[in-house]
Amino acid sequence: MLSNSIIDSDDDGIVLKSTGAAACEDIVITNCVVSSFCNAIKAGTETTGGFKNVSISNCVIKPSKEKGKPIWDTPRIGVSGLSLMIVDGGTLEGFTVNNLTIHGTESPIYIRLGNRARPHTPGAVVNTIGEVKNISISNVVAYDAGTWGSSITGLQGHPIKNISLNNIQLFSKGGLKMGDFSTTVEEDEKGYPHAITYGNLPSHTLYVRHAENISLNNVTIGTESPDSRFPIIVDDVDGLQVRNIVWKNADETKPLVKGKGISNHAVEAPLGWTDGDYFDLMDE
């Protein structure tokens, strides 16, 4: 258990690692205040044994008070608030995240399955792609976020599974125009897992790719300045539920959700939506 701690770090703030065959498991992180120029609360990157049964609750994430230049040339407001990943084999499962306040950071939520496949035990071989599944994130307020957006990304044929986001508020700076971001997102299967890799996503709030059973319920989103991007983009997702969404300052000129390769979906209109398509399913 880690509790009642105040952390201000140039590198990642609170980090779980797994460098052997056994999982890093049965962990409680609670009542902490964390600042980081990198990732505030993170599982990974070393993930050989995986992570299991982790509770993260009642934490505040805020910008660092340090006035010097970040040693890794990262954003002063931080790279991500919550970063959960498997990239070297192993399984990440059984995470509950509840009651987070995230002030600042470029990417409030970053969930990633990759295949860097780097062994961390002498003589070991990482020859299987890991898993990311069974994650509940609830009661999160993220504000003054940068422009990168949040993401949930698996690999083709290896989806991230069973992720629920409930009672979430995501407010970012916005203000991007065409040309300020790429309309495609590289798979980067072997790369270092980092929200910096994606930078400004083509969605200003959430990007989801290669996933199963994704639920968004009671989510409020908004940008300080008008943004040309779609709020939510989904690609190759089986089982998508979006309901009880409040989109502040929506002008109804673009959909709430834009997607392709989507099956078994139930997407409701944002509360108060009166005109126009709110779900653009590109391959229908």
Side-chain angles (χ1 to χ4, degrees), residues 80-118:
S80 74
L82 176 69
S83 183
L84 307 178
M85 64 185 71
I86 286 289
V87 294
D88 303 317
T91 296
L92 184 153
E93 64 178 332
F95 273 63
T96 59
V97 181
N98 187 37
N99 293 342
L100 295 188
T101 296
I102 304 174
H103 177 202
T105 200
E106 286 286 354
S107 179
I109 298 171
Y110 176 83
I111 303 176
R112 174 69 168 145
L113 173 63
N115 188 29
R116 182 179 63 168
R118 187 171 76 182

Side-chain angles (χ1 to χ4, degrees), residues 36-40 74-75 77-81 105-108 148 194-196:
S36 171
F37 288 149
C38 291
N39 306 283
T74 48
I77 63 172
V79 171
S80 74
T105 200
E106 286 286 354
S107 179
W148 292 0
H194 214 19
I196 288 174

Side-chain angles (χ1 to χ4, degrees), residues 23-280:
C24 178
E25 62 182 328
D26 304 332
I27 307 295
V28 174
I29 300 169
T30 189
N31 299 340
C32 294
V33 178
V34 188
S35 302
S36 171
F37 288 149
C38 291
N39 306 283
I41 301 176
K42 175 180 174 182
T45 50
E46 288 79 8
T47 73
T48 308
F51 311 97
K52 184 178 180 180
N53 301 338
V54 177
S55 173
I56 302 169
S57 64
N58 304 329
C59 292
V60 171
I61 296 167
K62 66 188 189 73
S64 173
K65 293 183 177 180
E66 169 61 42
K67 302 302 181 184
K69 182 180 179 181
I71 61 173
W72 303 113
D73 198 27
T74 48
R76 292 200 60 82
I77 63 172
V79 171
S80 74
L82 176 69
S83 183
L84 307 178
M85 64 185 71
I86 286 289
V87 294
D88 303 317
T91 296
L92 184 153
E93 64 178 332
F95 273 63
T96 59
V97 181
N98 187 37
N99 293 342
L100 295 188
T101 296
I102 304 174
H103 177 202
T105 200
E106 286 286 354
S107 179
I109 298 171
Y110 176 83
I111 303 176
R112 174 69 168 145
L113 173 63
N115 188 29
R116 182 179 63 168
R118 187 171 76 182
H120 293 278
T121 301
V125 176
V126 180
N127 55 13
T128 59
I129 296 174
E131 292 184 280
V132 175
K133 59 186 179 181
N134 305 337
I135 300 170
S136 172
I137 301 174
S138 58
N139 302 314
V140 175
V141 175
Y143 68 102
D144 285 347
T147 58
W148 292 0
S150 296
S151 61
I152 301 170
T153 54
L155 296 173
Q156 189 169 16
H158 298 272
I160 287 177
K161 300 177 181 179
N162 309 330
I163 312 295
S164 66
L165 304 180
N166 182 60
N167 196 24
I168 310 290
Q169 298 184 30
L170 298 172
F171 298 112
S172 60
K173 294 178 181 178
L176 268 60
K177 301 177 175 59
M178 291 300 297
D180 294 334
F181 59 93
S182 175
T183 57
T184 61
V185 180
E186 296 295 328
E187 294 279 353
D188 195 39
E189 176 179 330
K190 296 290 185 180
Y192 184 84
H194 214 19
I196 288 174
T197 302
Y198 293 156
N200 290 323
L201 288 161
S203 51
H204 63 65
T205 296
L206 180 63
Y207 180 85
V208 182
R209 179 173 64 191
H210 306 319
E212 288 183 8
N213 301 328
I214 304 298
S215 173
L216 281 66
N217 180 49
N218 194 20
V219 177
T220 301
I221 65 174
T223 59
E224 294 176 18
S225 301
D227 197 296
S228 63
R229 296 173 292 175
F230 297 96
I232 300 169
I233 292 179
V234 289
D235 181 359
D236 183 27
V237 175
D238 180 9
L240 174 69
Q241 183 178 71
V242 180
R243 62 182 182 180
N244 298 325
I245 305 297
V246 177
W247 180 6
K248 295 194 67 175
N249 301 321
D251 58 14
E252 303 187 18
T253 62
K254 66 171 69 69
L256 169 74
V257 179
K258 181 177 181 180
K260 64 179 180 179
I262 312 304
S263 57
N264 300 316
H265 55 79
V267 178
E268 297 180 359
L271 298 180
W273 193 272
T274 59
D275 189 30
D277 294 329
Y278 58 86
F279 184 24
D280 180 5

